[in-house]
Amino acid sequence: MGGDHAPDEIVKGAIEAAPHLHHSVLLVGDPDRIATLLPTPCPSNLSIHPASQVVEMHEKPLEALRKKKDSSMAVGVDLVKRGEAHVFVSAGNTGAASAASLLSWRQMHGFHRPAIASEIPNYHGKFLLLDAGASPDVDPEHLVEFALMGRAYATQVMGKVEPKVHLLNIGEEEGKGSSFAKQAYALLARHAWFAGNIEGKDMFAKPCDIVVCDAFVGNIVLKTSEGVAELIMKLVKEQVPSNPLAKLPYLPLKKVFAPLRKRMDYAEIGGSPLLGLNHLCIICHGRSSSRAIMNALLLAQRTLDHELLESLRTSVEQELNFIS
């Protein structure tokens, strides 16, 4: 029930995903509203679970969760906690989804802060940025934890082999940046998988697998990247004349720009997992379209199929053994 276009686009996305899923989807929210959006016959792997309240996008997360015990957000998270569901997917209030997941599921042993891991396109394919919005106030050692999360996700879900980790910084050289960045560098440098600092511009131009930073920086990077991508596509579109006859010479370019548009569209990824907790939450854009929701559900399925949680547990156990 959360998001700018809920529940219509959410339900539509679930319907589009249904034929590609070998798992079931519980649509949590107002049964009457959801039922009117489902086709007849309804896909056998879609069902409705009732929730009478909604956490609105403008509400303060903790206050809303405290007052709305039967919100679709609280009910969905609780279904996962009770083992009646395995992944929670939400396009609602990001702060509320993160807070509800953290308070209900708690941190996985060895991880002290959750992190949102976002796949971002670059010239060489995709890299993983974390934290993209969950934990703005962290200590340098938490970036090592983010690196472990990122390596597990990049290996299991993105198919990267022996992924390397960069630290986002204002320069490539060791010793650059704030005291926080210097301390984080020293901790990360103990590991063979650490590839040093990387500047913001180089994330998009050079090969890189994983980039770590705190959520304040990461969320600004994520939203700035999305804004620049949308600006580029808008400027390109404006160069094509609106007159049908004048437009004819540009038609061949549609085949050129179609793959580019798809590669830069956030909806093609769908959502970003919240990592470091005992269960999985997929965070989607508030403005998610049905296509974004469909891809978020497919991402949720991949995390289950590739046993991401087990991989995260293994990675942190190895780190704890490394430290001791």
Side-chain angles (χ1 to χ4, degrees), residues 223-249:
K223 290 177 178 175
T224 302
S225 303
E226 291 172 351
V228 171
E230 291 176 3
L231 172 63
I232 291 171
M233 296 311 300
K234 186 175 181 180
L235 291 174
V236 169
K237 189 175 180 179
E238 285 181 351
Q239 299 308 305
V240 179
S242 57
N243 183 289
L245 289 176
K247 189 185 293 186
L248 286 174

Side-chain angles (χ1 to χ4, degrees), residues 21 80 99 136 150 174 197 287:
L21 296 172
V80 174
E174 181 180 355
N197 290 324
R287 55 191 173 97

Side-chain angles (χ1 to χ4, degrees), residues 7-8 10-12 14-15 18 25 27 30-43 45-49:
D8 301 56
I10 312 299
V11 176
K12 185 180 177 184
I15 295 168
V25 177
L27 297 164
D30 183 336
D32 294 332
R33 290 185 66 188
I34 295 173
T36 62
L37 301 170
L38 292 173
T40 303
C42 178
N45 56 346
L46 297 186
S47 59
I48 301 173
H49 190 95

Side-chain angles (χ1 to χ4, degrees), residues 105-215:
W105 305 338
R106 310 308 299 173
Q107 296 97 325
M108 187 180 288
H109 175 67
F111 291 124
H112 299 89
R113 295 287 190 280
I116 295 175
S118 291
E119 296 182 33
I120 299 179
N122 72 358
Y123 183 75
H124 300 274
K126 292 178 184 176
F127 69 92
L128 191 68
L129 176 74
L130 66 170
D131 180 13
S135 302
D137 298 310
V138 293
D139 297 324
E141 54 264 30
H142 297 141
L143 266 62
V144 178
E145 297 177 10
F146 296 168
L148 297 174
M149 298 176 194
R151 294 192 81 236
Y153 181 88
T155 302
Q156 297 300 111
V157 181
M158 299 174 72
K160 291 183 178 289
V161 179
E162 294 297 323
K164 297 291 186 180
V165 178
H166 285 88
L167 173 66
L168 183 59
N169 209 330
I170 59 173
E172 293 183 357
E173 303 83 5
E174 181 180 355
K176 285 283 188 176
S178 62
S179 58
F180 174 87
K182 292 174 185 176
Q183 292 175 59
Y185 187 103
L187 294 171
L188 290 163
R190 299 175 184 176
H191 298 271
W193 40 254
F194 181 55
N197 290 324
I198 192 167
E199 295 183 29
K201 61 181 176 59
D202 291 333
M203 294 190 300
F204 302 96
K206 295 182 179 180
C208 65
D209 300 316
I210 301 155
V211 177
V212 295
C213 57
D214 66 77

Side-chain angles (χ1 to χ4, degrees), residues 41-84:
C42 178
S44 59
N45 56 346
L46 297 186
S47 59
I48 301 173
H49 190 95
S52 62
Q53 298 171 304
V54 178
V55 174
E56 302 293 347
M57 300 297 278
H58 64 273
E59 292 188 88
K60 295 181 180 179
L62 293 178
E63 184 178 324
L65 292 169
R66 188 166 52 249
K67 291 180 178 178
K68 298 180 174 180
K69 302 292 186 183
D70 197 47
S71 66
S72 54
M73 188 83 68
V75 172
V77 167
D78 192 55
L79 285 169
V80 174
K81 182 180 181 179
R82 300 205 310 264
E84 295 180 40

Side-chain angles (χ1 to χ4, degrees), residues 248-323:
L248 286 174
Y250 292 86
L251 290 180
L253 292 177
K254 287 187 71 175
K255 291 185 178 180
V256 175
F257 287 111
L260 176 62
R261 184 183 296 111
K262 184 175 181 180
R263 188 171 172 182
M264 297 177 73
D265 187 358
Y266 76 91
E268 294 300 320
I269 297 171
S272 301
L274 178 67
L275 303 177
L277 304 178
N278 284 304
H279 299 285
L280 286 171
C281 173
I282 306 294
I283 304 288
C284 304
H285 265 293
R287 55 191 173 97
S288 287
S289 63
S290 62
R291 184 166 186 79
I293 296 300
M294 178 191 74
N295 283 318
L297 290 168
L298 294 175
L299 172 61
Q301 178 166 266
R302 291 200 302 277
T303 64
L304 290 175
D305 292 347
H306 293 286
E307 300 181 338
L308 178 59
L309 282 176
E310 289 307 311
S311 181
L312 286 166
R313 290 191 179 96
T314 300
S315 69
V316 75
E317 286 171 7
Q318 290 174 344
E319 172 67 8
L320 293 173
N321 291 334
F322 172 83
I323 294 173

